[in-house]
Amino acid sequence: MKKIFFFALLMTHILTAQAQPVKTTTKTTPKPVPVLKTFNDSLSYVVGEVAAYGLTQQGLGEIKLNNTAFLRAINDILGKKTTLVDDMAANTLLNNYMSKQQEAKVKPAIEEGKKFLAQNKLKPSVKTTASGLQYEVITEGTGIKPTAVDTFVCHYRGTLLNGTEFDASYNRNQPLQMAVNQVIPGWTEGLQLMAIGSKYKFYIPYDIGYGVAGNGPQIPGGSTLLFEVELLDVKKKQ
């Protein structure tokens, strides 16, 4: 993974650079920096530039690198030595770092959602589960309830805290049909509380919704989501 990751960084920058138009200039060619005495010196410096640009493009440019460890990793990989961190641990480290960076960017939205949910849970009609899911029963049905492996059929409307509607099956006049375990965690949990014929309102925290990444421009990262869900049918797994 790490060899592929480093190579991808290099190729990303190289291809990007090739796609850019060549800028003409009347300035004279600058004199080589004294440290770059040989062709290999210059090439080494350029490879360093490529790596740095690639790291920046991957969202890793703000890391305060330990240069000794950084160079050790490069030398280990280029020297085909056993690396100090295996692929699984490397992926975990990178994913955790990227998640923390993204979470910091959407912190205002997360805090807004927490404040809303703290007030919302005080309403007598709102129930809160262990996961943080809040729901409100609008109509209680009498049919069967789905399990995680079943398929549900429902109409729904989804909005942000500010009231912006980002999706609604009612607008398409076409109910949604999916497996209960193939939707966001807040839905997977909430649907299993509902019987056919029920209509609930879900209040879904970001961490059991679309997380810090969000879902396209309609659902920003860290968003608490509100859904009106009407369960029309359940298709039991055969």
Side-chain angles (χ1 to χ4, degrees):
M1 183 281 299
K2 288 173 284 186
K3 293 179 181 179
I4 295 173
F5 177 73
F6 181 72
F7 180 74
L9 294 180
L10 298 182
M11 291 305 299
T12 297
H13 180 66
I14 291 171
L15 293 174
T16 301
Q18 289 176 339
Q20 302 300 318
V22 177
K23 296 181 180 180
T24 58
T25 178
T26 56
K27 295 182 180 179
T28 57
T29 303
K31 294 181 180 180
V33 178
V35 73
L36 307 178
K37 296 179 180 180
T38 67
F39 173 80
N40 187 260
D41 289 344
S42 299
L43 183 60
S44 298
Y45 186 84
V46 169
V47 170
E49 283 186 311
V50 171
Y53 281 128
L55 289 169
T56 300
Q57 291 170 357
Q58 295 292 326
L60 301 173
E62 297 179 0
I63 300 176
K64 294 182 179 179
L65 294 172
N66 177 322
N67 289 334
T68 300
F70 182 72
L71 293 174
R72 169 70 183 272
I74 291 176
N75 289 329
D76 284 348
I77 291 172
L78 295 180
K80 299 181 180 179
K81 299 178 182 178
T82 301
T83 55
L84 301 179
V85 181
D86 63 34
D87 289 355
M88 183 176 296
N91 274 323
T92 300
L93 284 168
L94 286 173
N95 288 337
N96 287 344
Y97 173 79
M98 298 298 285
S99 293
K100 288 180 180 178
Q101 291 297 100
Q102 182 63 29
E103 186 170 343
K105 292 179 181 178
V106 300
K107 186 175 180 180
I110 293 175
E111 293 303 319
E112 180 186 18
K114 288 181 177 179
K115 183 177 179 181
F116 169 83
L117 293 169
Q119 292 295 320
N120 194 58
K121 72 185 298 184
L122 301 178
K123 297 178 181 178
S125 60
V126 173
K127 299 178 181 179
T128 304
T129 70
S131 71
L133 170 69
Q134 295 181 4
Y135 68 96
E136 191 172 3
V137 178
I138 300 173
T139 302
E140 192 68 88
T142 57
I144 62 172
K145 295 181 179 181
T147 66
V149 298
D150 296 332
T151 296
F152 68 87
V153 181
C154 79
H155 266 309
Y156 69 93
R157 175 175 290 104
T159 61
L160 303 176
L161 287 182
N162 63 9
T164 300
E165 181 179 288
F166 56 81
D167 193 15
S169 64
Y170 294 104
N171 298 341
R172 297 186 292 273
N173 197 29
Q174 179 66 44
L176 176 66
Q177 179 173 312
M178 288 187 70
V180 175
N181 58 11
Q182 290 182 344
V183 289
I184 58 176
W187 266 55
T188 297
E189 180 182 359
L191 285 166
Q192 294 179 79
L193 302 173
M194 302 176 68
I196 294 176
S198 296
K199 186 174 184 179
Y200 281 21
K201 189 167 186 177
F202 296 157
Y203 305 88
I204 300 182
Y206 80 100
D207 54 339
I208 55 172
Y210 289 99
V212 296
N215 187 31
Q218 293 84 9
I219 304 177
S223 295
T224 292
L225 305 175
L226 282 57
F227 286 97
E228 289 183 6
V229 180
E230 184 179 0
L231 186 60
L232 305 176
D233 195 12
V234 172
K235 300 181 184 298
K236 303 297 291 184
K237 184 177 181 180
Q238 300 299 319

